[in-house]
Amino acid sequence: MRIAFLGPIGTYGEQAAHELVLEESEAIELVPQKGISAVVEALVNDSCTAAVVPVENSVEGGVTTSLDALWQHPDLCIRRALIMPIRHALLSNGSLADISEVLSHPQALAQCNQWLIRHLPNVLQLPTHSTAEAASMVAGSNFRAAIASKQAAKDHRLNELAYPINDIAGNCTRFLLLDKGERNWSGPTASMAFSLQSNVPGALLKALACFARRGLNMSRIESRPSKREMGEYIFFVDLDLSKADRLAISQVVQDLVPLCNNLTMFGAYFTKDLS
Ligand SMILES: O=C(O)C(=O)C[C@]1(C(=O)O)C=C[C@@H](O)C=C1
């Protein structure tokens, strides 16, 4: 099994990939990619058999690149999910007083925004493809620091200037293991996305009523622009199937189809919660 993840080594994505494949019996090869789009592309073009992407952070919300990729590639299926605590460190070979640039993935910079305002108000914040890429770029410099994991400090021989520096103590990110296999319906969470056929009063209400009618509890709803027209959206919905009638999911799809332009089911799956 070749698994694409957001590289280089030392990213949270790499940690998540190890956790997500723990129960696999096949031999695993983790294949680092530069950027979340490249992770998905490696699965789409079959150079990898699975991919690990972050999809939602408890502080910053949806990871839009991952949501958009799921919508653009309806043949992808969610195999498993993981909720992982994210504890950021400020890493450098210099000292705090000398830091003038802080590098990290935009999600990590945003998750430490208040800490940066308080402790490093005048530094330049520079975005990178991943937290571990930032760690590799600051190694050897005494005026640059990276926001990354404790693991990245070890991988790149950096010192921890401060830890933890995430603004919200319980900061965590949900990762998905994606593949192109058969959809499974036995897990407790099902994910789907749909766009509505008509932009008229009550159109979304009618779609959401389908879930209520079949006794299906929504555990998440999130919208993304369709990118075709201002005001046109795609809705991502997660359903809690743990107490639901197994037939309800196929019934709700039948009810929704006439109301939607497009509807994609990403399967049902289990979530490992480490938070
Ligand atoms: O840069 C990394 O280490 C990643 O795995 C990416 C990522 C993300 O895109 O959300 C993963 C977890 C954290 O929320 C911060 C960054």
Side-chain angles (χ1 to χ4, degrees):
M1 211 172 164
R2 281 170 59 82
I3 303 180
F5 73 97
L6 177 63
I9 57 157
T11 59
Y12 296 103
E14 188 204 5
Q15 290 175 25
H18 284 294
E19 283 290 341
L20 280 161
V21 299
L22 276 182
E23 292 128 58
E24 296 291 336
S25 50
E26 285 178 53
I28 302 292
E29 188 189 349
L30 293 186
V31 189
Q33 309 290 326
K34 203 168 182 166
I36 294 171
S37 305
V39 173
V40 176
E41 192 48 38
L43 174 58
V44 169
N45 69 22
D46 295 322
S47 63
C48 285
T49 43
V52 171
V53 291
V55 71
E56 184 184 10
N57 173 262
S58 58
V59 178
E60 285 302 302
V63 179
T64 54
T65 319
S66 302
L67 292 173
D68 290 351
L70 276 170
W71 180 248
Q72 279 151 21
H73 303 290
D75 53 333
L76 301 186
C77 139
I78 301 174
R79 192 55 58 209
R80 215 168 286 147
L82 170 78
I83 299 174
M84 201 170 82
I86 303 289
R87 305 288 178 266
H88 296 297
L90 187 76
L91 310 178
S92 179
N93 289 133
S95 55
L96 195 61
D98 297 328
I99 301 304
S100 56
E101 291 180 8
V102 173
L103 286 70
S104 199
H105 187 280
Q107 280 272 343
L109 288 167
Q111 290 161 24
C112 303
N113 184 44
Q114 292 305 316
W115 191 93
L116 290 171
I117 290 172
R118 219 172 311 125
H119 299 274
L120 292 169
N122 300 317
V123 295
L124 190 63
Q125 295 184 21
L126 298 170
T128 54
H129 288 100
S130 71
T131 55
E133 183 186 73
S136 75
M137 288 169 72
V138 306
S141 159
N142 51 17
F143 69 92
R144 290 178 133 189
I147 295 176
S149 66
K150 277 174 168 272
Q151 182 57 45
K154 289 190 195 127
D155 293 339
H156 299 280
R157 293 165 186 261
L158 292 160
N159 300 323
E160 270 175 46
L161 301 187
Y163 176 85
I165 62 164
N166 35 283
D167 297 331
I168 306 292
N171 187 35
C172 51
T173 296
R174 189 155 64 102
F175 290 86
L176 301 177
L177 177 68
L178 305 174
D179 69 15
K180 283 181 171 174
E182 289 281 300
R183 273 148 177 69
N184 184 336
W185 298 108
S186 60
T189 306
S191 291
M192 60 162 72
F194 57 84
S195 60
L196 293 169
Q197 211 166 71
S198 48
N199 190 356
V200 293
L204 179 60
L205 183 66
K206 273 191 194 158
L208 298 187
C210 298
F211 302 118
R213 207 162 41 238
R214 300 295 180 182
L216 283 172
N217 192 18
M218 281 195 303
S219 51
R220 182 175 74 118
I221 179 161
E222 185 163 355
S223 62
R224 288 285 301 145
S226 72
K227 305 185 205 307
R228 293 192 320 183
E229 211 176 288
M230 188 70 174
E232 196 185 75
Y233 292 96
I234 293 146
F235 298 95
F236 288 81
V237 168
D238 286 354
L239 298 170
D240 176 5
L241 302 185
S242 58
K243 293 185 199 82
D245 172 355
R246 287 282 132 189
L247 264 184
I249 189 84
S250 53
Q251 289 167 332
V252 91
V253 171
Q254 277 176 33
D255 297 348
L256 276 172
V257 163
L259 307 174
C260 297
N261 252 339
N262 268 302
L263 184 153
T264 304
M265 300 296 297
F266 299 110
Y269 51 89
F270 287 87
T271 301
K272 186 169 172 180
D273 190 345
L274 304 179
S275 64

